[in-house]
Amino acid sequence: MSDMRNTSQMCGNSSVYIDTHRILDSCRDKDCFEDIPVYLSDACHDILERSGSVRTKCAKIICANIHVDPIPFNRGFYQIGITMYIKITAEVCACIGRPQEIEGVAVVEKKVILYGGEGNVNIFKSELGEQNFCSCGTTEIPGSNLPRAVLEVVDPIVLGTRIAEACDCRRPCVCAEDLPDIVCGCLGGRVCCQPTTKVLTVSLGFFSVVRIERPAQYLVHGTEYTVPEKECVSPSTDDPCKMFKHMAFPVNEFYPPSLCDIKGQDRDREGPCGCNKH
């Protein structure tokens, strides 16, 4: 075994071993979820009951739960279940001339099937804080050879907002116990599980990429890290006007882009804007 041990040391340009994750399969998706119920707190639901019109100001993803399950009789393939929690900020007109903001959470689910290969090893890694005398380390994947699923998604595009009757909305029963703590903390109150007459619903569009990974080791070409030659420059606070004179004049801010420029930017961007971008 000693003759198989790697004893090479990196000197200048050389090859190095790295431990990383290999992408075995991936997919991109464009999903549209219509009339998703928005779960409000009791205080926000009381405001909604007195309102006649509504518009969504912002939709932002708070967190997501991802589950990986092997598919029976299909070796190497896995079903990835994704649950996303979206914070909805809406503006309602409770009375003429006095709009009020309400916040709630929408929940969407999707499933994809990807190839993740097979593995028969258990992975254990030592972590900081686990170096005690009686410590036995930590288990990254305890008793399992499941691959890791990764979700990349931008904040959704709001396609529609409406107030529906409670009896018309196919709304599952969701209470505070069913939501993650980070989601409940965003509402600032107890979730209203059984609305009386009105329910806020939204339609959202998502652009997402899902990939499945496994640990892998590679031999790559590496170069020793060198100290950068560029020195750090600190702003001078003694003469703010002098610093201001060196700033470039924002010409583009005074000239709105033409229609041709906007179309060109849309083609280059190839993705939706965030809720705070215009």
Side-chain angles (χ1 to χ4, degrees):
M1 296 295 292
S2 60
D3 57 337
M4 299 179 62
R5 187 178 303 166
N6 178 28
T7 58
S8 61
Q9 297 181 354
M10 188 175 69
C11 181
N13 297 337
S14 180
S15 297
V16 295
Y17 291 94
I18 63 171
D19 184 8
T20 182
H21 284 83
R22 174 189 175 188
I23 300 176
L24 297 176
D25 199 2
S26 62
C27 64
R28 67 177 185 181
D29 213 346
K30 183 170 65 174
D31 299 296
C32 179
F33 298 91
E34 295 186 61
D35 296 332
I36 308 168
V38 179
Y39 303 102
L40 306 171
S41 64
D42 290 333
C44 291
H45 187 265
D46 292 340
I47 298 175
L48 182 69
E49 291 286 345
R50 302 192 305 270
S51 64
S53 60
V54 62
R55 73 180 184 94
T56 299
K57 297 179 62 178
C58 182
K60 186 174 182 60
I61 298 176
I62 304 173
C63 64
N65 290 338
I66 305 176
H67 300 280
V68 180
D69 298 306
I71 299 178
F73 310 109
N74 289 271
R75 296 179 61 180
F77 286 88
Y78 298 85
Q79 177 176 271
I80 303 173
I82 300 172
T83 303
M84 290 181 286
Y85 300 89
I86 302 95
K87 180 180 180 180
I88 303 295
T89 303
E91 191 175 60
V92 298
C93 292
C95 58
I96 299 177
R98 294 187 60 185
Q100 291 182 281
E101 281 192 1
I102 59 174
E103 294 181 343
V105 174
V107 183
V108 299
E109 297 180 349
K110 66 172 297 181
K111 295 180 180 180
V112 300
I113 296 176
L114 293 175
Y115 177 76
E118 296 181 274
N120 296 314
V121 297
N122 296 319
I123 300 176
F124 300 87
K125 291 186 178 181
S126 62
E127 302 289 348
L128 295 177
E130 297 293 339
Q131 304 298 328
N132 297 330
F133 177 74
C134 296
S135 174
C136 61
T138 59
T139 305
E140 186 185 65
I141 307 178
S144 173
N145 60 355
L146 292 176
R148 183 179 73 172
V150 178
L151 168 68
E152 295 180 349
V153 59
V154 296
D155 287 332
I157 300 174
V158 181
L159 304 175
T161 308
R162 71 185 185 96
I163 300 176
E165 298 295 330
C167 57
D168 296 336
C169 178
R170 298 178 181 179
R171 181 188 182 103
C173 181
V174 172
C175 299
E177 293 78 10
D178 302 322
L179 300 175
D181 294 338
I182 186 175
V183 176
C184 295
C186 293
L187 292 180
R190 188 179 67 89
V191 178
C192 180
C193 299
Q194 297 180 346
T196 54
T197 58
K198 295 182 179 181
V199 175
L200 177 64
T201 63
V202 294
S203 297
L204 302 175
F206 292 84
F207 293 92
S208 62
V209 173
V210 183
R211 67 177 185 265
I212 198 164
E213 304 174 342
R214 279 191 182 276
Q217 294 78 37
Y218 294 97
L219 178 64
V220 299
H221 180 75
T223 304
E224 289 184 340
Y225 177 76
T226 59
V227 178
E229 297 180 359
K230 180 180 177 180
E231 296 182 356
C232 298
V233 179
S234 302
S236 176
T237 57
D238 298 335
D239 191 353
C241 292
K242 183 178 180 181
M243 181 179 63
F244 180 73
K245 289 180 181 179
H246 287 84
M247 293 182 180
F249 191 87
V251 180
N252 294 333
E253 299 296 331
F254 292 85
Y255 290 92
S258 63
L259 181 60
C260 295
D261 295 335
I262 294 176
K263 291 182 178 179
Q265 293 174 1
D266 292 339
R267 287 194 299 268
D268 296 337
R269 184 163 52 242
E270 296 184 354
C273 297
C275 61
N276 293 326
K277 298 179 181 179
H278 301 280

